[in-house]
Amino acid sequence: MARERQHQPRALSRRSLLGGAAAAAGAVTLTTTAAGPASAASTRDVDVAIVGGGLAGLTAARDLVAGGRTVAVLEARDRVGGRVVNLPLANGGFTEGGGEFIGPTQDRIKALADSLGVATFTTYNTGKNLLYKDGKKTPYATDGILGSVPPVDAAGLANAAIVQASLDDMAKQVPVDAPWTAAKAAEWDKQTFESWLNAHAVIPSAKFLLDVACTSIFSAQPRELSLLFVLFYIAAAGNESNAGTLERLTDTANGAQESRFVGGSQQVPIKLAATLGDRVVLSAPVRSIARSGGRYLVTADGITVTAKKVVVAVPPPLAGRIVFDPLLPASRDQLGQRLPMGSIGKAIAVYDSPFWRADGLNGQVVSDSGAVRSTFDNSPPDASYGALMGFIEADAMRAYDASGVDEVKAAVLKDYATYFGDKAKSPTSFVLQRWDNEGFSRGGPVAYAPPGVLTEYGTALREPADGIHWAGTETSTYWNGFMDGAVRSGERVAKEVLAAL
């Protein structure tokens, strides 16, 4: 993986992690302190080396340790959590720069959080949403006959309803554990989501609704995605007892954005890492994985680990930057070459209070223009200050990838003022997280499949390469691309490795 900065590896301090986890009202330890710096010649010998200290890698480590095996988790960053991170604010609070929401059927992340004592609270959803389209701002209630669907023209609503029902019906035909085996997999995988929408979302306002849904879910444009991948993603938005639906992916109430974590989502990996102690090593990006005899030599900055098995729990595009000896099977390497990351940033403006609530608004916007086209109220549960969070996604994010923070801030605050009035122009602080420019993510929220990838290379997604096993949210059968999917993948790979040892 590409070097983000020069570091000596650090073992996690249980005290610093637990202290951060116990801090009141959102004060968390974002970068844990070292139990003691490791020398450049540090070595460990374990049963399983785990590459990546996000939710997938940490969950796998927890279950492997519970199964009586020794592990070492090598994390490239100077923090745990991967694409889940709390960001400090000037007022002493924090906001979430990555994954933050959970909802119905996301059972495994909820069970993990419960086991660690991390509670949830309901995403602020009182009041009206805003639709900003064709230069017009329209507040709308979400508890009426249309639910959370923005009030476009009647013809567009009817067309969008038909399209959504069709997508849900097709998704039911896609096996979540092997979407490439669907009866129509070849037909669906040879076309983009865009080409399918052009043939079915024939009313412009309906196409707008589906385009916004696409960029909001994948941080990618419809032209970039395989139709089969979209159908799989819909099918995966459920669990063993509940079929996935597009509505569950997009909704707040009863959907994937229903709840948030008290203390921020990074509390979950922070507390989980604390249970593992010095098994977790930070600032240790893995450079190579080599097999020698019946063992593996995993070389990271400042530390070398020998292990019987290896779990790689990073996004497929980043896994491909590790040097493997012997080479990975061609199908696995080709898969990694063909799964790009979505393009996403999160912009959070902080105010003395959530002033939009007094205007009867819940802070949620759907827009057809601007840098930010989807927003949420990211204020803390006690509303001690206000926070507006906006997603910058797909083409909109790429347009600003080379821009400075000031330029992005100006564009974002212009959008916020358009949506919420002049008060939005003057935040007390502003935080920007650009995942495209994050060295150990290079995008988010998920690596997606363009046409032709799943049917040709999908079987390599979870297939072990000798003693190398794969985890990460991209390998999950349910809630792929979400925190729940990451946890599920860690649980699955731990069982796989325990059976193989």
Side-chain angles (χ1 to χ4, degrees), residues 274-290:
T275 69
L276 296 168
D278 63 5
R279 298 179 183 91
V280 181
V281 182
L282 300 178
S283 302
V286 170
R287 306 303 180 182
S288 65
I289 300 173

Side-chain angles (χ1 to χ4, degrees), residues 159-180:
N159 187 198
I162 292 170
V163 170
Q164 179 173 316
S166 296
L167 289 169
D168 286 346
D169 286 344
M170 291 189 294
K172 292 175 183 176
Q173 303 172 47
V174 178
V176 293
D177 59 342
W180 46 88

Side-chain angles (χ1 to χ4, degrees), residues 418-440:
T418 297
Y419 306 146
F420 300 107
D422 286 347
K423 289 182 181 179
K425 293 179 180 179
S426 304
T428 58
S429 61
F430 181 85
V431 178
L432 178 66
Q433 175 72 24
R434 291 192 279 195
W435 290 100
D436 294 27
N437 294 341
E438 169 70 34
F440 295 113

Side-chain angles (χ1 to χ4, degrees), residues 85-306:
V85 61
N86 289 356
L87 303 173
L89 297 175
N91 64 8
F94 68 94
T95 192
E96 290 135 316
E100 63 176 281
F101 299 110
I102 69 166
T105 75
Q106 295 187 12
D107 311 310
R108 302 317 303 152
I109 180 65
K110 183 62 165 61
L112 174 60
D114 288 347
S115 73
L116 296 168
V118 182
T120 60
F121 67 99
T122 303
T123 302
Y124 190 80
N125 198 37
T126 301
K128 294 183 177 181
N129 285 24
L130 280 177
L131 169 65
Y132 186 80
K133 187 175 184 296
D134 300 325
K136 180 182 178 183
K137 186 166 58 176
T138 305
Y140 64 98
T142 61
D143 56 359
I145 190 171
L146 297 178
S148 61
V149 179
V152 297
D153 57 276
L157 288 172
N159 187 198
I162 292 170
V163 170
Q164 179 173 316
S166 296
L167 289 169
D168 286 346
D169 286 344
M170 291 189 294
K172 292 175 183 176
Q173 303 172 47
V174 178
V176 293
D177 59 342
W180 46 88
T181 66
K184 294 185 178 180
E187 174 187 338
W188 291 336
D189 203 32
K190 71 181 180 182
Q191 59 184 303
T192 64
F193 187 39
E194 173 86 3
S195 62
W196 187 88
L197 284 178
N198 286 341
H200 294 85
V202 294
I203 305 297
S205 55
K207 180 64 160 53
F208 157 72
L209 293 177
L210 273 299
D211 284 349
V212 169
C214 177
T215 55
S216 297
I217 294 168
F218 300 103
S219 298
Q221 302 296 145
R223 67 175 186 272
E224 300 176 284
L225 301 163
S226 157
L227 174 60
L228 178 62
F229 179 73
V230 171
L231 296 175
F232 156 70
Y233 215 77
I234 294 170
N239 59 16
E240 292 79 359
S241 303
N242 298 273
T245 66
L246 180 58
E247 185 177 31
R248 191 177 292 123
L249 280 170
T250 58
D251 276 1
T252 300
N254 301 312
Q257 287 69 234
E258 183 175 76
S259 300
R260 297 168 58 198
F261 289 108
V262 176
S265 52
Q266 199 189 3
Q267 288 279 20
V268 179
I270 285 174
K271 286 194 169 187
L272 179 54
T275 69
L276 296 168
D278 63 5
R279 298 179 183 91
V280 181
V281 182
L282 300 178
S283 302
V286 170
R287 306 303 180 182
S288 65
I289 300 173
R291 187 178 67 211
S292 178
R295 300 186 69 80
Y296 285 89
L297 187 69
V298 181
T299 304
D301 286 7
I303 186 169
T304 298
V305 176
T306 56

Side-chain angles (χ1 to χ4, degrees), residues 59-72:
T59 299
R62 175 202 64 181
D63 290 359
L64 287 165
V65 170
R69 296 297 179 171
T70 57
V71 304

Side-chain angles (χ1 to χ4, degrees), residues 308-322:
K308 299 173 184 175
K309 302 288 183 182
V310 178
V311 170
V312 178
V314 298
L318 298 186
R321 299 179 185 183
I322 299 171

Side-chain angles (χ1 to χ4, degrees), residues 315-334:
L318 298 186
R321 299 179 185 183
I322 299 171
V323 176
F324 291 88
D325 181 17
L327 294 174
L328 292 176
S331 59
R332 174 68 203 193
D333 191 76
Q334 292 284 324

